Amino acid sequence: MKPLLPCLTAVLLALVAVPPVAAGDAFEASVLTNASVQPFYFTIPAPRGQILDCQGQPLARTGVVQRLTLRVPPLAEETPEAYVAWVANYWPKVLEVVGDANRPDVDLLKQQFEHRRRIPLSISEALSVETVAGITQRPEFVEVQTEYAREYPGGSLAAHILGYVTANGAPLRGPLVYGEPLWREMQGRAGLEGSMNRELAGKAGLMVICYDREGRAVQRQVLTPPVPGNDVVTTLQIPLQTAAEKALKSAGRPGAIVVVDSATGNLLAMASAPTFDPGLFARGLDKNTFAKMTTDEAQPLFDRAIGALYPPGSVFKPFVALAGLRAGRLNPYAAIPCGPELIIDGRTFRNWSDKDRGWFDLNAAIIRSCNTYFYQAAITIGDEPILETARDFGFGEPIQLPLGGTATGHVPKRVTTRQGQANLAIGQNPLLSSPLEVAMAMATLSDGLQRPQARLVAQVQDQGGEVLSETPPAHLQMISYPAEALVAIHRAMYGVVNHRDGTATKARVKGLRVFGKTGTAQ
């Protein structure tokens, strides 16, 4: 894959640029020789690399935010109590222009006085540069600190894939130590942010800041510039991902959508609903909000596309039919009754309709998704050919992705009872699979020759666009099924969408040949 042109992350080095000195100019004495000036050494957290879609559009990136700070000048009486009193007396001036400023509590102010007297005190959440620029009359001792922040341009778009970041370590307070970060560093905790944190994180730099007795930063110097993290290029397509999430949202209930390129195994979209905004974690999520998210019955943090296991239902019927055709135990042209129910060893198995639909051949049985046809077919085929076909198409096989929480479906070793085989025929228990697993099986069925490996990350590249590592498309195994059997299944799945009696006629797309299979399960 060719390198994508990078969207370089801005680095704050411009804030500390030193003007050139002309020949013959006199050098002023370094502030480090001034007894009234005290140097402090800080690490500069590196800007995280971007997470991009396959066209180089950012799904996650590093931006710049600003935080308001309060510089407390020298006091007539340098005591913790006087420090706290000064902040209390000055606070009304802060609120005049910053109505939602965060006033530190007394304990934090006393810690600041004892351990960080010359360092300005943070009094706001992270604010946009535009918001801070709009504060035209800032009080004398209110200053601005610039920081990096994680941004998600699409809001909740692809949230389960991206994951989220949180601040690493406790808030910066207590004794000031050499190499303390200028602001709290971010650590990937879930999704690609977590699994590829090493690639995305970059390397921190080192800066010295000299403060005078007034608490003013009189000199800043970067000793070691930070090294930005690398960019992770995914196989996702933002337009498809957006369409998938829009469809799920309009459905109004939990669900998942997976879109796969059957030739390459590329995951073009993978959505789960309900979802969440990863930016909430980056900005700092309070305990109450996090507790609400984790206890919500709808489980917005749970990725149903890769982590949920369900009976696949009637989408499994094409694989049952394919098994029977390869084994020579199913005649595609033989008509079988599609009645409202079938009694198997004393138990009644029902069709989707309570009316007798007549006699169906294989093509009609798939188009109309006739349960009673497949009950009889599965008993004739037997469990072993069906289970072997299921494994050939990846059911019950682990899917390797750089994401946590990928569940592996279940394919039983044997289903020896006739009742069990009837359940197997329509994709019910004990068969279980994830939406991703079903999508990859359908991709294999579409290809007809080989089973592709699911691919989410295409490459990792540095900020100059040089490709550092690449994951090329791969196939896990060849599949060997008669061409005429595959043609028969494809023909029937085309009818599911395009025949007037098909169960998926709403999936028709003008000018596009769409194949499909509907399914419901308990």
Side-chain angles (χ1 to χ4, degrees):
M1 185 172 180
K2 294 181 179 179
L4 298 174
L5 292 177
C7 300
L8 295 178
T9 304
V11 181
L12 299 178
L13 302 187
L15 298 178
V16 296
V18 179
V21 179
D25 285 355
F27 286 92
E28 294 184 4
S30 169
V31 294
L32 297 179
T33 65
N34 189 333
S36 67
V37 172
Q38 186 173 2
F40 295 95
Y41 292 83
F42 299 94
T43 56
I44 311 170
R48 287 177 73 82
Q50 301 174 107
I51 302 177
L52 308 170
D53 84 341
C54 64
Q55 297 298 321
Q57 296 302 308
L59 292 158
R61 66 189 178 195
T62 294
V64 174
V65 295
Q66 294 182 324
R67 203 178 295 270
L68 298 178
T69 62
L70 180 62
R71 175 171 60 87
V72 180
L75 306 174
E77 184 180 358
E78 286 289 340
T79 65
E81 291 73 20
Y83 185 90
V84 171
W86 186 93
V87 172
N89 292 332
Y90 194 77
W91 204 252
K93 293 184 178 181
V94 174
L95 295 180
E96 287 178 5
V97 292
V98 191
D100 58 350
N102 299 328
R103 180 175 171 181
D105 60 33
V106 172
D107 289 339
L108 179 57
L109 289 173
K110 288 183 176 180
Q111 287 185 44
Q112 184 80 8
F113 175 83
E114 181 179 356
H115 301 297
R116 300 164 176 266
R117 178 63 183 86
R118 294 201 186 189
I119 307 299
L121 184 68
S122 178
I123 59 169
S124 81
E125 303 296 334
L127 305 172
S128 69
V129 175
E130 293 75 18
T131 298
V132 175
I135 305 174
T136 56
Q137 296 182 344
R138 204 165 59 237
E140 177 184 1
F141 298 107
V142 174
E143 299 176 344
V144 177
Q145 174 174 295
T146 304
E147 305 176 1
Y148 294 130
R150 199 59 164 164
E151 295 179 347
Y152 300 91
S156 62
L157 187 69
H160 294 96
I161 297 174
L162 300 175
Y164 53 85
V165 298
T166 61
N168 191 20
L172 304 177
R173 59 184 62 177
L176 193 63
V177 298
Y178 178 90
E180 175 180 296
L182 270 173
W183 58 85
R184 294 175 71 186
E185 297 175 289
M186 289 294 170
Q187 173 83 19
R189 300 295 184 187
L192 293 177
E193 293 277 29
S195 65
M196 305 202 72
N197 185 70
R198 179 178 297 180
E199 291 82 357
L200 293 164
K203 186 177 181 181
L206 184 65
M207 170 187 278
V208 60
I209 303 179
C210 299
Y211 293 96
D212 65 12
R213 287 178 178 172
E214 297 288 328
R216 292 174 296 206
V218 295
Q219 183 178 3
R220 291 181 174 90
Q221 183 178 357
V222 174
L223 304 178
T224 306
V227 179
N230 298 316
D231 292 342
V232 173
V233 183
T234 70
T235 60
L236 298 176
Q237 293 183 6
I238 286 180
L240 276 178
Q241 184 72 27
T242 302
E245 297 196 15
K246 184 178 179 180
L248 284 174
K249 186 175 182 180
S250 66
R253 59 179 183 269
I257 293 177
V258 180
V259 182
V260 186
D261 183 332
S262 61
T264 63
N266 286 352
L267 296 172
L268 307 180
M270 191 160 62
S272 177
T275 186
F276 64 96
D277 180 2
L280 292 175
F281 291 87
R283 293 188 292 270
L285 197 64
D286 63 82
K287 292 182 179 179
N288 291 336
T289 304
F290 181 71
K292 185 178 179 180
M293 293 175 71
T294 53
T295 57
D296 189 336
E297 290 184 358
Q299 297 179 287
L301 298 180
F302 178 51
D303 189 350
R304 288 170 168 79
I306 66 171
L309 294 178
Y310 309 100
S314 291
V315 298
F316 190 64
K317 289 175 180 175
F319 303 98
V320 174
L322 193 60
L325 293 175
R326 184 173 71 164
R329 300 178 185 177
L330 183 63
N331 183 340
Y333 306 108
I336 298 177
C338 182
E341 62 185 30
L342 187 69
I343 299 175
I344 303 174
D345 297 339
R347 176 184 166 190
T348 300
F349 286 76
R350 300 191 181 279
N351 195 9
W352 54 265
S353 172
D354 59 1
K355 297 180 180 180
D356 190 334
R357 294 293 168 174
W359 292 66
F360 282 9
D361 62 8
L362 175 60
N363 190 60
I366 291 178
I367 290 174
R368 297 293 289 149
S369 200
C370 178
N371 288 346
T372 46
Y373 175 100
F374 277 93
Y375 297 147
Q376 298 168 82
I379 292 171
T380 300
I381 297 167
D383 65 316
E384 290 184 293
I386 297 173
L387 297 175
E388 181 182 358
T389 295
R391 296 187 186 97
D392 284 346
F393 284 81
F395 287 97
E397 296 292 327
I399 296 177
Q400 301 300 324
L401 287 179
L403 296 173
T406 304
T408 300
H410 175 68
V411 175
K413 292 182 178 180
R414 291 294 308 273
V415 179
T416 55
T417 68
R418 285 157 48 94
Q419 291 183 357
Q421 290 164 4
N423 271 332
L424 181 65
I426 61 170
Q428 293 285 2
N429 282 320
L431 194 67
L432 294 173
S433 57
S434 69
L436 173 62
E437 191 173 85
V438 172
M440 295 309 300
M442 286 296 182
T444 305
L445 183 58
S446 172
D447 183 272
L449 295 175
Q450 48 196 355
R451 178 155 66 98
Q453 180 171 304
R455 189 170 80 132
L456 177 60
V457 172
Q459 65 191 38
V460 176
Q461 62 188 41
D462 64 19
Q463 292 294 314
E466 180 181 352
V467 177
L468 304 176
S469 64
E470 186 175 4
T471 306
H475 294 88
L476 298 173
Q477 69 179 62
M478 302 295 292
I479 59 171
S480 179
Y481 286 78
E484 58 272 19
L486 290 166
V487 168
I489 301 302
H490 288 173
R491 176 172 174 266
M493 292 179 69
Y494 181 80
V496 169
V497 178
N498 299 281
H499 191 279
R500 66 177 182 275
D501 293 327
T503 57
T505 55
K506 292 182 179 180
R508 292 175 187 170
V509 179
K510 187 177 181 180
L512 188 66
R513 287 170 56 82
V514 179
F515 299 69
K517 181 68 191 80
T518 58
T520 56
Q522 297 179 356

